[in-house]
């Protein structure tokens, strides 16, 4: 258990509403990531963070923003949710070097 | 960004059979990793490969880092019901960013 908690675990919302997903870690790791998982696409990186207030875009960052004001929390925000953002979102931390990520349990978001 | 092509996309096998899957890339990676995802959970690391040509085992799992650095293979011997899930390959890109394949969904008939 790498001490990662995602919230909420499930959310249904309407098109055009803002949504924030939270990732919380208890072990003070520097790197944190947000991925989305969709059938046929595997896991695609949205944004990642390499320290407090240090973030960078991944391959599918359009329509998403992130913030990291504390080491333990990494927030993913959809300013105006669209149906194409219906997905399962996974947070991950880099617990060791060499790409060994530990993932949270996922947050399932449905945008109607 | 880089893309990883993973095959097959799905497999339906009998319990006890061996399984092989692979992952290819148009670009070189210096680290390859294999993850497994059980239903309703996040992916979990199975094997990490750090050197071209490296062959690494973890129980019934064996993975290889292709000599060209553009591919990797995962084999599962004598499959059992708990092997069911989605298997992902991943390549390490730049500063601690992972690129994932599309996944191989493994189904086992008892």
């Amino acid at each position: 258990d790498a001490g990662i908690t995602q919230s909420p675990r499930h959310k249904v919302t309407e098109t055009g509403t803002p949504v924030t997903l939270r990732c919380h870690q208890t072990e003070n790791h520097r790197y944190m990531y947000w991925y989305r998982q969709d059938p046929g696409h595997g896991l695609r990186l949205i944004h990642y963070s390499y320290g407090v207030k240090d973030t960078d875009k991944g391959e599918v960052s359009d329509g998403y923003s992130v913030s990291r004001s504390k080491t333990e929390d990494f927030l993913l925000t959809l300013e105006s949710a669209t149906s194409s953002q219906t997905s399962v979102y996974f947070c991950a931390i880099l617990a060791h070097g060499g790409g060994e990520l530990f993932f949270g349990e996922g947050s399932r978001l449905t945008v109607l | 960004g880089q893309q990883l092509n993973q095959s097959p996309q799905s497999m339906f096998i009998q319990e006890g059979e061996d399984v092989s899957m692979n992952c290819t890339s148009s670009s070189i990676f210096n680290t390859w990793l294999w993850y497994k995802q059980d239903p309703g959970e996040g992916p979990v690391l199975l094997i990490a490969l750090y050197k071209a040509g490296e062959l690494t085992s973890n129980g019934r799992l064996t993975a290889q880092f292709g000599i060209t650095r553009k591919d990797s293979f995962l084999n599962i011997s004598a499959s059992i019901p708990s092997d069911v899930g989605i298997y992902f390959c991943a390549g390490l890109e730049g500063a601690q960013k992972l690129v994932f394949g599309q996944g191989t969904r493994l189904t086992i008939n008892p």
Side-chain angles (χ1 to χ4, degrees):
Chain A
D1 182 4
I4 307 170
T5 305
Q6 290 186 230
S7 60
R9 295 290 313 282
H10 301 272
K11 186 173 181 65
V12 179
T13 191
E14 294 186 349
T15 298
T17 60
V19 176
T20 295
L21 305 180
R22 178 182 182 237
C23 180
H24 178 78
Q25 61 149 328
T26 59
E27 299 185 3
N28 211 35
H29 296 291
R30 180 181 172 195
Y31 284 85
M32 299 183 75
Y33 306 78
W34 277 108
Y35 284 87
R36 61 177 289 175
Q37 182 177 16
D38 304 287
H41 292 278
L43 293 154
R44 293 181 290 175
L45 182 64
I46 305 172
H47 283 279
Y48 69 104
S49 170
Y50 46 95
V52 172
K53 298 186 179 177
D54 290 324
T55 65
D56 204 352
K57 296 179 179 180
E59 61 180 306
V60 289
S61 59
D62 288 348
Y64 301 95
S65 62
V66 289
S67 65
R68 191 157 178 212
S69 58
K70 299 183 292 184
T71 299
E72 58 265 36
D73 288 326
F74 191 31
L75 304 181
L76 177 70
T77 297
L78 292 66
E79 300 290 348
S80 178
T82 67
S83 58
S84 65
Q85 292 176 311
T86 292
S87 187
V88 180
Y89 292 85
F90 285 97
C91 174
I93 61 169
L94 182 68
H96 309 286
E100 298 184 32
L101 299 187
F102 287 87
F103 285 83
E105 295 183 315
S107 296
R108 182 176 294 275
L109 175 67
T110 302
V111 183
L112 302 176
Chain B
Q2 300 192 56
Q3 290 186 329
L4 300 185
N5 295 310
Q6 192 171 343
S7 66
Q9 292 189 14
S10 59
M11 302 183 72
F12 299 85
I13 63 169
Q14 297 294 125
E15 183 177 350
E17 289 185 12
D18 296 343
V19 173
S20 292
M21 60 189 78
N22 68 81
C23 198
T24 60
S25 170
S26 57
S27 303
I28 289 173
F29 286 105
N30 290 320
T31 299
W32 284 89
L33 305 101
W34 286 91
Y35 286 79
K36 184 197 176 195
Q37 183 181 31
D38 290 327
E41 299 183 9
V44 174
L45 180 67
L46 295 175
I47 292 178
L49 301 155
Y50 300 108
K51 187 176 178 180
E54 179 181 358
L55 187 71
T56 296
S57 295
N58 179 6
R60 293 178 297 104
L61 277 62
T62 301
Q64 185 162 21
F65 190 149
I67 197 70
T68 65
R69 300 187 179 187
K70 292 184 178 182
D71 56 10
S72 181
F73 306 86
L74 177 69
N75 296 311
I76 305 172
S77 62
S79 59
I80 60 177
S82 62
D83 291 333
V84 165
I86 304 176
Y87 292 80
F88 291 100
C89 63
L92 183 61
E93 178 183 64
Q96 311 299 349
K97 284 169 54 179
L98 279 190
V99 178
F100 284 84
Q102 307 97 316
T104 295
R105 183 180 295 273
L106 179 63
T107 303
I108 298 176
N109 298 316

